[in-house]
Amino acid sequence: MRKKIVAGNWKMNKTLTESKVLIKELKKATKGIKLKNTRVIIAPCYVNLQHAVKKTKNGIIEVASQNMHQATSGAYTGEVSADMLLDIGVKTVILGHSERRDHFGEIDGSLTEKVNTAIGNNLEVIFCFGEQLEDREANNHFKIIEAQLKNVLFHLEANSLQQIVLAYEPVWAIGTGKTASADQAQEMHAFIRGLFSEKYGTETANTISILYGGSVKPANAEEIFSKPDVDGGLIGGASLNANDFAAIIKAI
Ligand code: PEP
């Protein structure tokens, strides 16, 4: 049975001091939650990862990086490699977030290299993708999503998909307060699973966790998570508040 996942993307928020407080609050807020087939992940900024790994050891919370460079090492000022993440105990990396694509020029080519590097180093990838508002308004959203997935993931062998978590994040719903309706999310998630089913077979497609991201809050989480092809969420803003994040975890 595929896993359910609630992952919090902290983005460029929280100093180390603040991160220590949030992790403490999060541990308190999630204490006693009975997780059934569900993983909880947080993704603090690079400089807070090591501390987060240390403080969440042996608990229910896992730690992911928000990004990674595709090269193994070298003259890439300001970048972080797979080895660096693994060495501090980080086993999961978010790749392809729309903010990385929009502000830092990440494109399918570099993302393919990043995915390959992550897979080759036994890192798990939370691969983000999603359409812009104009794509949806022009009814191009299925085509865009299909291209984003095919361009970056469809060269992988079926067994590598065990290291891939998908995060469908319509860009128009990220940080805007606008959420895709639960039905819109389900429609897209079923389409995505169908693409994987066509390429890799239904059995493999059914093992892939597909998260929804875009203004998920305690108030809408339960409805979104109730849909059969929605296996959890990638949460931005609401993951910065321990009680809200815990409420979203409870909604799964
Ligand atoms: C995100 O950044 O991945 C995200 C979904 O943000 P928010 O929940 O704030 O819309």
Side-chain angles (χ1 to χ4, degrees), residues 4-189:
K4 305 229 176 224
I5 299 172
V6 179
N9 174 13
W10 291 7
K11 310 191 183 186
M12 197 176 73
N13 292 296
K14 304 293 173 188
T15 62
L16 178 59
T17 309
E18 292 164 344
S19 173
K20 284 179 180 176
V21 173
L22 182 53
I23 288 174
K24 217 177 189 175
E25 288 174 351
L26 209 49
K27 283 163 84 173
K28 199 169 151 204
T30 54
K31 208 173 171 181
I33 297 181
K34 296 260 179 297
L35 291 177
K36 236 177 64 199
N37 195 39
T38 299
R39 296 168 60 196
V40 175
I41 300 173
I42 56 169
C45 68
Y46 286 140
V47 295
N48 295 341
L49 284 173
Q50 193 171 8
H51 172 265
V53 169
K54 210 164 143 194
K55 286 296 168 190
T56 54
K57 218 172 182 159
N58 303 322
I60 62 163
I61 300 168
E62 301 169 45
V63 176
S65 176
Q66 297 173 19
N67 186 29
M68 180 200 86
H69 196 269
Q70 57 269 42
T72 43
S73 64
Y76 299 99
T77 302
E79 292 292 336
V80 163
S81 72
D83 265 356
M84 291 170 186
L85 296 178
L86 289 164
D87 197 45
I88 58 167
V90 173
K91 300 187 180 77
T92 302
V93 59
I94 298 173
L95 293 176
H97 192 279
S98 65
E99 287 151 17
R100 298 291 321 166
R101 294 175 191 255
D102 290 350
H103 306 313
F104 303 99
E106 301 234 359
I107 52 171
D108 289 350
S110 53
L111 287 169
T112 305
E113 290 175 11
K114 288 186 179 206
V115 166
N116 290 344
T117 300
I119 298 289
N121 282 281
N122 282 326
L123 276 159
E124 174 185 55
V125 174
I126 300 178
F127 181 68
C128 304
F129 53 95
E131 80 280 5
Q132 303 280 344
L133 184 59
E134 56 269 28
D135 300 325
R136 185 160 277 266
E137 285 175 346
N139 212 24
N140 273 337
H141 45 300
F142 292 113
K143 237 193 246 160
I144 296 285
I145 297 306
E146 185 170 350
Q148 287 178 339
L149 291 170
K150 286 191 170 170
N151 290 347
V152 180
L153 299 180
F154 274 28
H155 65 287
L156 294 173
E157 301 285 340
N159 64 351
S160 297
L161 296 180
Q162 290 166 12
Q163 287 165 252
I164 301 281
V165 172
L166 301 175
Y168 167 60
E169 299 204 298
V171 180
W172 47 272
I174 296 178
T176 58
K178 270 191 204 161
T179 320
S181 70
D183 286 338
Q184 283 174 319
Q186 168 58 26
E187 182 186 36
M188 184 57 87
H189 284 219

